[in-house]
Amino acid sequence: NPASPSSYSGTYVTSNNQVMFAMTTTGGGTTPEPTYYTITATANPTAGGTVSGAGSYEEGSTVTLTATANTGYEFSMWTKNGTQVSTNATYSFTASANAAYVAVFTEVSSGGGTATDITIGSGTSTNAYIPTYAYYKYSLTEQIYTAAEIGQSGTITAVSFKVSNAKSTTRTLAVYLKHTTKTAFTSKKGWEAVSSSNLVYSGSVTFSASGWTTITLDTPFEYNGTNNLLLAVDDNTGSYVSSSSNSPKFYVYSTGANRALRIYSDNTNYNPASPSSYSGTYVTSNNQIMLTMGGNKIVTNDEAINTESKTLVVFPNPVERGSQVSIVLPEGIDNAKVEVFNAQGACVYSGHGEGNVELPCNDRMTPGLYIVRVSQGNDVFYGKLIVR
């Protein structure tokens, strides 16, 4: 009698039957509210194309984002927090958390060599310590810009910084650009060493009061569009402004990570090629910058051939790699744009000059044939250069 079983001496069993219960919900029960996540999607650059599929999604549901390139651009990749997640224009995944995705578009070279200005960062926040601190004799800064922020590959010919206050000062700077796998600095001594092959500018820079100051690179930098970009600025001035209030302040934007390092001194002229002993200070903001990118291929064979009446004098020619070469500009041509292109049509040098222009045959100019082009208004002149 299961209603009165206390007199029965049973046997222990250490196993139970596998069972299945049929459950029926009766009145009064509550159903848990589903969890929803916000998925955002943006285009970088905004002119590169459009995106769709963003919105609020229930946990576990499938999200499909689609990127469509505008004319003159092509889709490159989807990124999340600056990290590539897909190279397919249509990307599907399961909603499991709030997330922000960026569709990266790359400008397609039209063959015309039109320069493109890429502005990174916005807002009104300022910082006096990066890229340089004029209240001290010497300083060194390094900043990491992500591939997603830059949004395309190409030849970087200029870097611009934006001054926020009405202070103008001249500093002696060495500027370096380098591809990097770093996403942030994990140590205050975790500087990225740079070398002469990464040097893109060396000389005086006068920062304009309250506005953009553009540094035209001595050696344009071929950015691959995939790696992050390291921007290092070494201030070797050896003098300082009279007070900290006279030091320029620069517009910055928050990165939310230690993507910048800074250090300054009146006694130490820092060596960016061997920086591992310097204990810097983390900065969670980067300078607002503008990168000027030139066209990748703007010299055609027809252009180079049909210029017999406008030939430049280039000597010595051939020239040994690592030496200087002189380009004699035609009479009456001043402040002309001087460009050098390799056999694939990529620009390896861009600058301005008049009279005799001294061109450094640096590490980026491997042995081979190069086309020199000088332009001013409607006047265009060509020369050939052989590097050995």
Side-chain angles (χ1 to χ4, degrees), residues 16-330:
N16 276 8
N17 285 115
Q18 296 181 20
V19 298
M20 181 170 62
F21 295 102
M23 303 288 288
T24 312
T25 301
T26 56
T30 59
T31 302
E33 290 292 329
T35 300
Y36 286 88
Y37 296 113
T38 299
I39 307 297
T40 63
T42 56
N44 185 12
T46 54
T50 57
V51 295
S52 61
S56 180
Y57 288 86
E58 185 175 351
E59 183 177 25
S61 62
T62 299
V63 182
T64 299
L65 301 179
T66 302
T68 304
N70 288 336
T71 302
Y73 291 84
E74 62 184 9
F75 173 77
S76 178
M77 60 183 164
W78 283 103
T79 66
K80 177 184 175 184
N81 297 328
T83 301
Q84 177 180 312
V85 294
S86 177
T87 56
N88 295 322
T90 299
Y91 173 50
S92 297
F93 57 93
T94 301
S96 59
N98 295 329
Y101 291 85
V102 177
V104 179
F105 296 94
T106 303
E107 188 173 11
V108 179
S109 176
S110 62
T114 302
T116 300
D117 289 330
I118 300 170
T119 303
I120 301 175
S122 61
T124 58
S125 297
T126 61
N127 190 307
Y129 304 104
I130 55 175
T132 178
Y133 188 30
Y135 190 46
Y136 280 76
K137 292 181 179 180
Y138 310 105
S139 67
L140 176 64
T141 64
E142 289 188 351
Q143 301 177 67
I144 299 168
Y145 293 87
T146 69
E149 287 177 320
I150 300 170
Q152 68 177 75
S153 61
T155 305
I156 300 175
T157 58
V159 179
S160 302
F161 298 92
K162 194 174 186 182
V163 179
S164 66
N165 57 348
K167 304 296 180 182
S168 177
T169 187
T170 299
R171 309 296 291 175
T172 301
L173 305 180
V175 180
Y176 300 82
L177 291 178
K178 181 181 180 181
H179 292 111
T180 182
T181 57
K182 286 182 184 291
T183 56
F185 294 100
T186 57
S187 165
K188 292 184 178 181
K189 292 185 177 181
W191 304 88
E192 180 110 4
V194 293
S195 66
S196 58
S197 63
N198 310 125
L199 182 65
V200 294
Y201 178 84
S202 180
S204 296
V205 176
T206 299
F207 289 100
S208 303
S210 301
W212 288 102
T213 293
T214 298
I215 302 173
T216 300
L217 305 186
D218 298 327
T219 305
F221 181 81
E222 293 293 339
Y223 176 62
N224 63 19
T226 303
N227 290 106
N228 291 338
L229 181 68
L230 180 83
L231 169 61
V233 177
D234 180 24
D235 188 328
N236 305 290
T237 305
S239 61
Y240 50 83
V241 295
S242 58
S243 69
S244 59
S245 62
N246 288 326
S247 183
K249 289 185 178 180
F250 299 87
Y251 283 108
V252 296
Y253 69 100
S254 174
T255 62
N258 297 324
R259 278 171 42 190
L261 272 179
R262 63 170 174 84
I263 193 169
Y264 52 82
S265 173
D266 280 332
N267 302 311
T268 302
N269 189 1
Y270 302 102
N271 179 8
S274 183
S276 59
S277 64
Y278 310 141
S279 182
T281 299
Y282 291 131
V283 186
T284 57
S285 298
N286 275 11
N287 282 117
Q288 296 180 29
I289 62 172
M290 184 165 58
L291 299 176
T292 301
M293 285 196 177
N296 282 334
K297 294 186 177 181
I298 62 177
V299 170
T300 66
N301 289 334
D302 289 341
E303 284 183 302
I305 292 171
N306 298 321
T307 54
E308 294 183 0
S309 62
K310 294 186 175 182
T311 302
L312 294 168
V313 176
V314 181
F315 70 93
N317 197 2
V319 64
E320 298 296 328
R321 185 183 184 188
S323 302
Q324 294 278 113
V325 64
S326 294
I327 303 171
V328 181
L329 302 189

